[in-house]
């Protein structure tokens, strides 16, 4: 397996539910983003790839114009909606980048629109030249869920979770860390079922059995919420890459996960 540099990468996903208020359109959680950047800086990793979700920036526009379903012929407003969705993601990415650069993390933004083409919603082509060059110099690439061109659909939404899983498998990642707004995965949605019990460990088989029980996201989410997130992560788990899902809104959770310490959350492993 070819790795990007001498160390297998760690993939960190900052969920849209953690870095934005999904109940209010285009509402970043600046204080939390800043704290996460502090924890990333403190971890001091040179083999990190960051991917973030869309939250209240990308999802509302994508839902309004039906971007996930692809281009409807001669629908000019939908073409505008696709462009606006990408633009809103660059705005959120800019906010994340502001925090990373403020904390002197050598991070580069990498827009999926510019290097990825999908086919019926699944990644088909990935121009990795820039990402590999960044890795050789130990820069930290920062990618995100995005509106991308699609060979069958014209355009669609590439979820950050599919991107995380794809990168992890392609580069034989050491592990994946998913930062969300709950303390890991629960037997049911803890936001609507307060009595739901947290799950500390899942095997691949247990994960697949749990999928139908997972609820949809709160707020607008065109990528399927926790159920969609888990579905996209299955290929990485099948490849033997462990996944930790933890509450990114809790202080030191991201730092502890990045440095291999135990965290409040769910560990997913193949067996």
């Amino acid at each position: 397996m070819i790795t990007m540099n001498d160390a297998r990468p760690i993939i960190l996903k900052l969920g849209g539910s953690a870095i934005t208020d999904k109940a209010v359109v285009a509402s970043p959680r600046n204080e939390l983003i800043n704290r996460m950047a502090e924890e990333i800086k403190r971890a001091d990793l040179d083999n990190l790839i960051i991917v973030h979700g869309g939250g209240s920036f990308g999802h509302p526009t994508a839902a309004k114009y039906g971007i996930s379903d692809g281009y409807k012929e001669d629908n000019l407003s939908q073409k505008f909606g696709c462009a606006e969705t990408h633009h809103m993601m660059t705005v959120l990415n800019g906010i994340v980048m502001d925090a990373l650069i403020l904390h002197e993390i050598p991070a580069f933004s990498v827009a999926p629109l510019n290097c990825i083409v999908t086919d019926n919603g699944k990644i088909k082509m990935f121009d990795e030249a820039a990402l590999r060059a960044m890795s050789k110099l130990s820069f930290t690439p920062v990618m995100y869920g995005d509106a991308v061109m699609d060979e069958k659909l014209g355009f669609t939404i590439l979820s950050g979770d599919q991107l995380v899983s794809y990168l992890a498998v392609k580069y034989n990642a050491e592990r994946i860390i998913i930062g969300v707004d709950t303390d890991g995965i629960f037997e049911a949605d803890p936001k609507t079922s307060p009595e739901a019990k947290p799950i500390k460990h899942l095997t691949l088989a247990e994960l697949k059995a749990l999928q139908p029980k997972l609820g949809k996201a709160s707020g607008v989410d065109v990528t399927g919420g926790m159920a969609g997130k888990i579905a996209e992560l299955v290929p990485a788990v099948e490849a033997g890459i462990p996944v930790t899902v933890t509450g990114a809104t809790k202080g030191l959770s991201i730092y502890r996960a990045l440095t291999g310490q135990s965290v409040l959350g769910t560990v997913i492993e193949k067996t």
Side-chain angles (χ1 to χ4, degrees):
M1 179 68 68
I2 298 173
T3 55
M4 295 184 71
N5 56 27
D6 291 338
R8 295 166 63 193
I10 294 172
I11 315 287
L12 171 63
K13 166 74 186 302
L14 301 178
S17 62
I19 63 175
T20 73
D21 180 351
K22 295 185 79 171
V24 182
V25 174
S27 180
R29 290 176 168 165
N30 291 305
E31 186 175 336
L32 288 176
I33 294 170
N34 186 66
R35 199 206 65 227
M36 291 175 203
E38 289 178 359
E39 295 184 21
I40 292 168
K41 174 64 175 179
R42 182 177 173 185
D44 192 26
L45 300 175
D46 61 6
N47 61 329
L48 184 64
I49 299 174
I50 298 173
V51 177
H52 67 78
S56 62
F57 281 75
H59 291 287
T61 306
K64 177 181 178 181
Y65 292 97
I67 305 305
S68 292
D69 298 329
Y71 177 55
K72 309 305 178 187
E73 190 172 355
D74 297 326
N75 189 334
L76 184 60
S77 66
Q78 196 191 29
K79 288 172 65 176
F80 167 75
C82 182
E84 184 182 4
T85 299
H86 169 69
H87 172 67
M88 290 302 293
M89 286 308 304
T90 66
V91 172
L92 178 57
N93 179 249
I95 294 169
V96 172
M97 289 298 301
D98 282 347
L100 295 173
I101 296 300
L102 178 66
H103 288 87
E104 299 183 352
I105 297 167
F108 274 127
S109 174
V110 180
L113 172 66
N114 296 339
C115 60
I116 291 173
V117 174
T118 58
D119 183 7
N120 202 25
K122 295 298 181 182
I123 296 174
K124 180 177 181 180
M125 187 283 293
F126 172 41
D127 184 348
E128 61 178 324
L131 204 66
R132 280 191 174 276
M134 291 176 197
S135 176
K136 288 179 181 178
L137 295 176
S138 297
F139 284 105
T140 298
V142 183
M143 305 181 77
Y144 47 89
D146 201 2
V148 297
M149 298 298 102
D150 187 282
E151 290 192 352
K152 180 177 180 180
L153 303 174
F155 51 67
T156 191
I157 296 297
L158 170 65
S159 74
D161 300 302
Q162 183 185 158
L163 183 55
V164 163
S165 189
Y166 177 88
L167 294 171
V169 172
K170 184 174 183 63
Y171 297 122
N172 189 28
E174 176 186 323
R175 52 203 161 93
I176 295 170
I177 298 162
I178 308 290
V180 295
D181 63 341
T182 60
D183 294 325
I185 299 173
F186 288 69
E187 292 178 345
D189 187 349
K191 297 173 186 174
T192 57
S193 303
E195 72 284 357
K197 295 180 180 179
I199 302 172
K200 292 185 177 181
H201 185 272
L202 285 170
T203 64
L204 178 61
E206 291 169 339
L207 180 69
K208 290 180 176 179
L210 181 67
Q211 272 183 260
K213 302 176 184 177
L214 296 174
K216 295 182 179 180
S218 59
V220 179
D221 190 328
V222 297
T223 56
M226 185 60 79
K229 187 182 306 295
I230 294 308
E232 295 290 9
L233 289 173
V234 164
V237 180
E238 288 177 333
I241 300 165
V243 178
T244 297
V245 182
T246 188
T249 58
K250 297 289 182 66
L252 295 180
S253 286
I254 295 299
Y255 169 74
R256 291 178 64 85
L258 288 173
T259 53
Q261 301 179 55
S262 62
V263 294
L264 191 62
T266 306
V267 175
I268 308 169
E269 297 176 296
K270 188 173 183 179
T271 57

